[in-house]
Amino acid sequence: MSGLVLLIPLALFLGLSGLAAFFWAMRDGQFDDMDGAAMRILIDEEK
Amino acid sequence: MTVHTALRGAPVERTLLAVPGAHCAGCIRKVEDGLAKVPGVIAARLNMTTKQLSVEHEPTLRLPDITAALARIGFEAQVLTGEAAKSQGRDTRDLLRCTAVAGFASMNVMLLSVSVWSGAEGATRDFFHLLSGAIAIPTVAYSGRPFFRSAFAALKSGRTNMDVPISIGVLLVTALSLFEALTGGAHAYFDGAVMLLFFLLTGRALDSVMRDRARDGVSALIKQAAPGAMLVRPGGATEWVAADRLQPGDRMIVAAGERLAADGIVERGTSGVDRSLLTGESDPVAVGLGDEVHAGMLNLSAVLTVRVTAAGADTSVAEIARLMDDAAQGRSRYVRIADRAARLYAPAVHALAASSFLLWLALGAGWHQSLLIAAAVLIITCPCALGLAVPAAQIVAAGSLMRAGVLIKDGSALERLAEADWALFDKTGTLTLGRPELVNLEEVPEQDWPLLLALSSASRHPLSQAITRALVGRNVPSALLDDVAEEPGFGVRAMSNGVPVSLGRGRAVDALSTTFTNGDRKAGLRFHDRLRADCASTIERLAQLGLPATVASGDNSRSVAAALNGLGLTAQTSMSPQDKLDAVARLQRAGRKVLMVGDGLNDGPALAAGHVSMAPASASDVGQNAADVVFLADSLAPVAKAVVAARRTMRIVRQNFAIAIGYNAIAVPLAFAGMVTPLVAALAMSGSSIIVVANALRLRGAAR
């Protein structure tokens, strides 16, 4: 039983941090250009 | 769209451009690196999903400089104006946020609920219930907003919609569960409330994603007309002015190969103009002093000086845009199948819940238990599966069609496409490829080919360009000519070693023919505008599907008859945009649901008015914007394919409705009898949703 005191807040914390990361990513425009992101990885930066 | 901002002290303007030609990583690099080298450009970023380029630059840099720089790199670009691009996707973002929160909450609440169902007792159960409530109540307040807002709006105007029972159900269940949790009751339905929100929001978010796709690029409507013109000031100075700042009375110089930016009257020069954008007629006409010309026409052969008579919103292009707006109003009255279902469903749910409450109260169950049962009825009947039935099927079918080269631009397009029972085709660019091809090159002696090429490359006339294409394809060298002159309405004349040669309209009156003269040798050249591949089989397939086809063309009857030879279609010819619109309206009044397939600006109003409309990807931007469905191939086959896929989609949607109703037929009596515990509700809800989504996934191969 005493494990619950630790495990429940831990589970909630992990879930909330995932949610926060999703919110951040959306606000930061990470999902604005899904096609471009897949292509940009192929661009050779050294010129 | 140009936004003024101040960055690090220096004034910066941001301009959005549409770059439809970009399609690979190499393009991104070419565009971004190429623009970075242009003086005055601070930063450029290309978004491949929307094909939009955002350029930050100094205010001194003019828009034509940016498009010219892009043209040098090899990309056609159009400046996007208007505010429409800004608000795009805001609804989807909000819905996704709500869905994410509801998803997080339902996972965590379910974790706690499973412990309760597996036998947690006493203080532990009460603690878990309270904890569930602490997660669920803020979630309901946050994620429930889209439903509360819509329900409130409906109630305020005295109507009811599907969101009303959803809102009442969720709020009632949450309040009752809170009461249960605080008083140490055995059952709390927090999991049911948040899970219901999660499933419904998933459906809404999918639907909204479909709608966003449709909105892409709507702001580009009038970009078919030139973005601006070179003006001559009274003093003789020239100045480039944007199209929306042109004034009647201005004099503009239109070079050969440029589109006119405004309506006007020719003051100096003679030339041929291509009116196909406005009328669909493929044959260019000669214009000279005093002739009227319109915005969107393409000047083919020589420089014209034009006095502007109408600009901006008064031009003929803007008039077509207005016709389209009006025509589209009728379509917005279409009621989607999900909404039609909700109209029947919502009152039934209300009645069931209210009667179960009254019945149990009458049987002496006490208000607390009666309310609990009524809430269970509301939760069970709430259309989880119903809310997912339509969007899930549509998004899977749209994905499948997209892989087959058919882009669905509007969520309701598949519904309307499935209902269509008449097909109206445009000719030029729709049934045909819209580019003439030379048929009888062999009739010209081979030693004359270099001469012919030299003549044809001196003109921008579509037929000359077809000759050039044919000869360049055979690696023919070009001869040298003297005194090359293009004569509007006739063709090109020149001298070759003292012998007069010409390429132009001979005695033949057929629009798709021309005569090549070398001294006293003459040769008639014939062209045809090739039909798209699979034209005949597609029209036959459509007829089998119950869509008889007819043709409405802006071209003259001779060209139409020549092009459609052997297809067995009836055609109306020489139609103006208004005539086409009337033709669609006439058919619709006769009870037909018209599928309009067209490509040009002149088809725009008819495309907007049709029950549903399709355009090839080679269409003008206006055509693509007005159409619900765009197909990418050079073949006509996707038209029939899309109709078949749409009908399959609607069959799956109806099956999904049947599943959802069947589930209710079993679950509602249980809820009515007061036998639905939170566990049963959770199982029933997720079970029916999974079945509906799995059924929708069968559409993955719908476009094959």
Side-chain angles (χ1 to χ4, degrees), chain B residues 13-33:
Chain B
E13 276 189 20
R14 205 148 66 97
T15 304
L16 264 187
L17 299 107
V19 189
H23 61 270
C24 66
C27 303
I28 300 181
R29 187 178 166 173
K30 263 191 259 172
V31 168
E32 292 184 354
D33 291 357

Side-chain angles (χ1 to χ4, degrees), chain B residues 159-365:
Chain B
R159 290 175 298 117
T160 175
N161 62 11
M162 212 52 240
D163 291 333
V164 175
I166 293 171
S167 302
I168 295 177
V170 167
L171 288 175
L172 189 62
V173 165
T174 311
L176 271 172
S177 303
L178 182 64
F179 178 80
E180 290 283 293
L182 289 174
T183 54
H187 296 306
Y189 291 83
F190 288 122
D191 50 18
V194 288
M195 196 160 72
L196 180 71
L197 283 179
F198 176 60
F199 282 135
L200 290 172
L201 282 167
T202 308
R204 296 273 160 107
L206 286 180
D207 201 47
S208 178
V209 166
M210 281 281 287
R211 267 177 228 216
D212 269 5
R213 248 186 234 162
R215 267 203 299 265
D216 275 350
V218 167
S219 51
L221 191 73
I222 308 197
K223 73 186 185 195
Q224 271 295 332
M230 195 62 85
L231 290 192
V232 209
R233 291 301 181 201
T238 56
E239 184 192 358
W240 195 90
V241 172
D244 54 1
R245 298 227 310 275
L246 288 172
Q247 298 286 338
D250 284 347
R251 279 180 179 75
M252 56 180 184
I253 301 182
V254 187
E258 272 188 3
R259 275 195 198 282
L260 277 86
D263 294 357
I265 289 173
V266 177
E267 286 213 320
R268 190 179 304 161
T270 51
S271 179
V273 291
D274 180 351
R275 304 181 294 174
S276 60
L277 190 67
L278 297 173
T279 62
E281 204 165 318
S282 50
D283 203 17
V285 288
V287 293
L289 187 66
D291 283 338
E292 216 174 301
V293 286
H294 296 285
M297 286 183 175
L298 180 66
N299 182 14
L300 290 171
S301 38
V303 180
L304 289 175
T305 306
V306 175
R307 184 163 51 83
V308 176
T309 53
D314 304 324
T315 61
S316 44
V317 176
E319 177 60 36
I320 292 183
R322 242 191 318 277
L323 273 178
M324 279 170 62
D325 262 1
D326 295 347
Q329 305 246 307
R331 187 189 288 173
S332 64
R333 282 196 290 271
Y334 178 81
V335 184
R336 300 180 56 172
I337 187 166
D339 298 333
R340 268 178 292 175
R343 263 186 209 171
L344 298 174
Y345 201 72
V349 171
H350 287 303
L352 263 177
S355 58
S356 65
F357 174 71
L358 292 175
L359 188 71
W360 280 93
L361 208 58
L363 292 175

